[in-house]
Amino acid sequence: MKVLVFAGLGVVCVVASLMLYGVLHLVPPSAELDWARRTISQYALMPNGWLFDTATLLLAGGSAAIVVALLRAGLLTRGALAGLVLWVVGLVGVVWFEKHNWSVGPSVGGDIHRVASVVAFLSLPLGTLLAAAPRMREPGARLVAAAAAVALLCFTPILWAVTSEPWTGVRWWRAIPLGGVERLLGLAEVITVLLLAWWAARTARRTGAGHRVRRWAVIDRDSAGDDVPPAGGDRPARWVARDGQTGRSWRIRGGPRLPASWFWCGRPGRRRSRSRSTP
């Protein structure tokens, strides 16, 4: 049940962080902030800025738990894992280094804060796309990939404002309603994180990887129906995944694609369909 536990814990933390962000928009003095123009991290400089720090750390902690769930469900490649870890690190950096307080002047910490924000905003959708790319035949992978694509699209107004500044002469933070764009981007990324948790839980329920780790073996069957190992690592005509504890087996046409906690013989291929059969 560890996949479901980590995914559920992550969802609770992310939803709690979303509620705290909502409180910042409703409770004074932060409610008086112009949300269309001022960025979310401006809340950290206000008297109730601890709400922003708590919400962001909850989002980082919940995202880390969801990354663990995705790992245990066997859904992350190395590139995807690196992207999601950078998302978590970027969120922590946003809290650790406050944004520029322009009433005092720019600071090194404010520059680091800006870099951490960009890293966080970009690494989550890119990491999600890397995780979903090898599994685009699955409905869950397509859904999280669509959410990641929407998050990247929400970032394009900021990219356009920065790149167009040299010939428009308008400072990039004035060329667009930066606060509104950032909030839309943040909402898209939170939805992406929640969908990643759903994807991990769905995969765990479908494959059984989130319940008990069992020993599996992939075998072939000869014409007489006896179990034989595949010869020479060649891909057999029919694969059978067998539960070493219960003796149940599943015929896998096209070859298996099993979680890391399972064991197989021969060369794994892409699972196209699965049907239950008797040993």
Side-chain angles (χ1 to χ4, degrees), residues 45-134:
L45 304 178
M46 306 193 75
N48 58 348
W50 64 272
L51 286 173
F52 170 82
D53 294 341
T54 303
T56 307
L57 291 177
L58 277 173
L59 180 57
S63 299
I66 292 170
V67 170
V68 173
L70 291 166
L71 272 174
R72 298 190 68 89
L75 295 175
L76 293 185
T77 62
R78 290 184 179 180
L81 176 61
L84 296 181
V85 168
L86 284 175
W87 155 255
V88 175
V89 172
L91 290 176
V92 175
V94 165
V95 174
W96 192 267
F97 301 96
E98 290 186 345
K99 70 168 294 181
H100 295 301
N101 188 348
W102 293 108
S103 63
V104 178
S107 63
V108 175
D111 292 332
I112 298 175
H113 172 92
R114 184 173 293 175
V115 172
S117 300
V118 174
V119 168
F121 282 141
L122 290 178
S123 59
L124 173 65
L126 292 177
T128 301
L129 289 174
L130 289 174

Side-chain angles (χ1 to χ4, degrees), residues 81-240:
L81 176 61
L84 296 181
V85 168
L86 284 175
W87 155 255
V88 175
V89 172
L91 290 176
V92 175
V94 165
V95 174
W96 192 267
F97 301 96
E98 290 186 345
K99 70 168 294 181
H100 295 301
N101 188 348
W102 293 108
S103 63
V104 178
S107 63
V108 175
D111 292 332
I112 298 175
H113 172 92
R114 184 173 293 175
V115 172
S117 300
V118 174
V119 168
F121 282 141
L122 290 178
S123 59
L124 173 65
L126 292 177
T128 301
L129 289 174
L130 289 174
R135 301 171 173 84
M136 290 303 290
R137 293 186 179 184
E138 302 176 13
R142 292 196 295 268
L143 186 57
V144 297
V150 170
L152 285 177
L153 286 175
C154 291
F155 188 81
T156 54
I158 299 176
L159 183 62
W160 174 85
V162 172
T163 56
S164 65
E165 182 178 338
W167 65 81
T168 61
V170 180
R171 303 309 298 266
W172 67 271
W173 60 85
R174 297 183 182 275
I176 57 174
L178 181 59
V181 171
E182 190 179 85
R183 283 163 175 79
L184 183 62
L185 172 60
L187 180 60
E189 303 221 335
V190 168
I191 292 174
T192 302
V193 172
L194 292 174
L195 286 175
L196 285 172
W198 167 80
W199 187 31
R202 181 178 185 272
T203 303
R205 291 193 186 98
R206 183 169 55 88
T207 64
H211 298 279
R212 284 193 300 172
V213 176
R214 299 170 175 173
R215 292 188 177 181
W216 292 75
V218 176
I219 57 176
D220 196 8
R221 291 188 175 184
D222 58 15
S223 58
D226 297 326
D227 298 339
V228 294
D234 294 332
R235 190 174 183 178
R238 181 168 61 180
W239 293 79
V240 177

Side-chain angles (χ1 to χ4, degrees), residues 257-275:
R257 189 175 184 86
L258 301 177
S261 59
W262 295 1
F263 302 90
W264 62 83
C265 305
R267 183 181 305 166
R270 185 178 295 277
R271 182 177 61 193
R272 299 182 183 275
S273 62
R274 185 174 72 179
S275 58

